[in-house]
Amino acid sequence: MLAPMQGLTNRALRALFIDWVRPDVVFTEFMRVNTAAPVRRLSAGDLREAAAAEGDVPLVVQLIGHGREALVSAALAAQAAGAVHLNLNLGCPYGRMTTGLTGGGMLRQPEELEEIIPALRQAITGSFSVKLRSGYDDPEQVFSLLPLFEAASVDFLVLHPRTVVQEYAGVADHGVTAAVVRQTRLPVIANGDVRTATDGLRLLEETGAAGLMLGRGAIADPLLFQRLRSRCHSEPDRDERAVQFRVYLQKLLNCYGKLFCGDTQVLGKLKAVLATMDDPDFEKERKRLKKARTVKEFFAVLDGIG
């Protein structure tokens, strides 16, 4: 699965990934649920993206918000717009900063989930999944939530084994993932710190997870999907990585040029992708690309990479 990443997994990037490496499942960026509006819970732009699939690949619409009524209303609106697969975000570490507990912040009040999860399951006619952290500040909180998810017949869980307060610091503790897999009958998708095919294949073997969700690792290196499928432990050499680096950014540049307006927007999206890349062999080139002020300048730097 291609992870939902705010500001990154827009429909242009999803279309490129589907055409190039074809993930088994893709997610929208999270769709914010408006708790203040009595009728329009999701924006018109979000509703336009709600669909059952993109390019014959299942598309999961991810909701982030709080309050049973608002979330159920948003789920119904997404379904009416064409969504078949819905996901509730209980993992975003930044949601705790907003008014009302959203994202990972909802784990601070798990008693509210006892109402929200069954209500969403009842409202959602297609698949319903939950993406969550291992806990708000307790990495074992997830175990207390498993009976709720099972009783509500959630279809699958996506687990990122860091706490919310941890944000992205430290290392994802996939010992927690393995323990969750052992303790629940629900399929568990492992998420967090998969940067190479070796990482992913080892994670599947050691945890027994039903699948992988790839985030920053895949945004930095889309061909990670192909190496995982072929069970290829070897990594491409520098020349291969240089070609991929150049081709990938050129493809993105073309896709973003069709979706976004002007150099500022296009370059902003490209530089967000660059921020996921940490290959030391191309650090100098990456810095030059980040300094580009126009698309033409970006292209010129890109053409010189080899």
Side-chain angles (χ1 to χ4, degrees):
M1 298 182 177
L2 176 63
M5 299 183 68
Q6 195 65 13
L8 286 170
T9 55
N10 51 69
R11 66 178 183 272
L13 184 138
R14 296 196 306 266
L16 172 58
F17 270 60
I18 289 168
D19 181 62
W20 193 14
V21 295
R22 204 162 187 82
D24 294 318
V25 179
V26 294
F27 278 60
T28 65
E29 300 170 89
F30 61 64
M31 296 189 180
R32 293 184 183 274
V33 177
N34 188 338
T35 56
V39 177
R40 187 178 289 279
R41 299 295 189 180
L42 296 174
S43 72
D46 283 342
L47 289 173
R48 283 194 296 271
E49 291 207 9
E54 286 183 341
D56 295 328
V57 173
L59 173 68
V60 180
V61 169
Q62 186 181 74
L63 303 177
I64 187 168
H66 62 276
R68 181 180 64 178
E69 180 183 350
L71 285 165
V72 167
S73 178
L76 292 173
Q79 285 186 150
V84 171
H85 310 287
L86 285 97
N87 177 271
L88 177 63
N89 183 316
L90 298 181
C92 179
Y94 304 114
R96 65 194 176 97
M97 309 291 189
T98 63
T99 302
L101 297 178
T102 64
M106 293 181 76
L107 296 177
R108 290 183 64 183
Q109 294 182 350
E111 64 278 3
E112 293 192 6
L113 295 177
E114 295 176 5
E115 294 186 354
I116 289 170
I117 299 298
L120 282 172
R121 174 69 284 181
Q122 185 175 7
I124 295 169
T125 56
S127 74
F128 171 42
S129 57
V130 174
K131 186 177 188 299
L132 75 162
R133 292 297 184 106
S134 55
Y136 184 77
D137 53 13
D138 174 5
E140 296 193 352
Q141 183 183 6
V142 60
F143 298 104
S144 67
L145 296 172
L146 293 178
L148 169 63
F149 297 143
E150 291 182 351
S153 297
V154 169
D155 289 291
F156 64 89
L157 304 176
V158 181
L159 178 63
H160 184 141
R162 284 181 170 92
T163 62
V164 175
V165 297
Q166 191 179 354
E167 296 186 357
Y168 295 97
V171 177
D173 182 2
H174 285 292
V176 173
T177 306
V180 169
V181 170
R182 290 193 298 269
Q183 293 191 32
T184 183
R185 59 178 173 77
L186 301 177
V188 177
I189 306 299
N191 172 230
D193 294 354
V194 179
R195 301 302 295 250
T196 67
T198 297
D199 291 338
L201 295 171
R202 182 176 59 244
L203 180 54
L204 287 172
E205 181 178 354
E206 292 179 353
T207 65
L212 298 173
M213 175 173 278
L214 309 179
R216 291 175 63 87
I219 301 298
D221 175 15
L223 295 183
L224 177 57
F225 280 100
Q226 294 182 350
R227 293 199 300 279
L228 280 165
R229 287 199 182 100
S230 62
R231 304 188 67 81
C232 176
H233 287 269
S234 62
E235 295 296 310
D237 62 25
R238 188 194 184 284
D239 289 344
E240 292 172 314
R241 298 199 312 278
V243 171
Q244 179 187 325
F245 186 87
R246 187 170 61 250
V247 169
Y248 176 32
L249 290 176
Q250 287 172 337
K251 286 177 178 285
L252 269 182
L253 194 52
N254 291 333
C255 289
Y256 286 164
K258 297 174 184 176
L259 180 60
F260 301 106
C261 298
D263 283 13
T264 299
Q265 282 195 350
V266 171
L267 287 174
K269 293 297 180 182
L270 286 166
K271 290 175 183 180
V273 170
L274 282 173
T276 69
M277 298 177 173
D278 55 6
D279 188 332
D281 284 342
F282 302 102
E283 183 59 21
K284 180 166 57 176
E285 291 85 351
R286 194 169 70 93
K287 287 181 177 178
R288 289 181 62 203
L289 288 168
K290 288 176 69 175
K291 291 179 180 178
R293 295 183 179 181
T294 66
V295 167
K296 184 177 180 180
E297 184 181 347
F298 192 97
F299 249 133
V301 175
L302 201 55
D303 285 342
I305 294 175

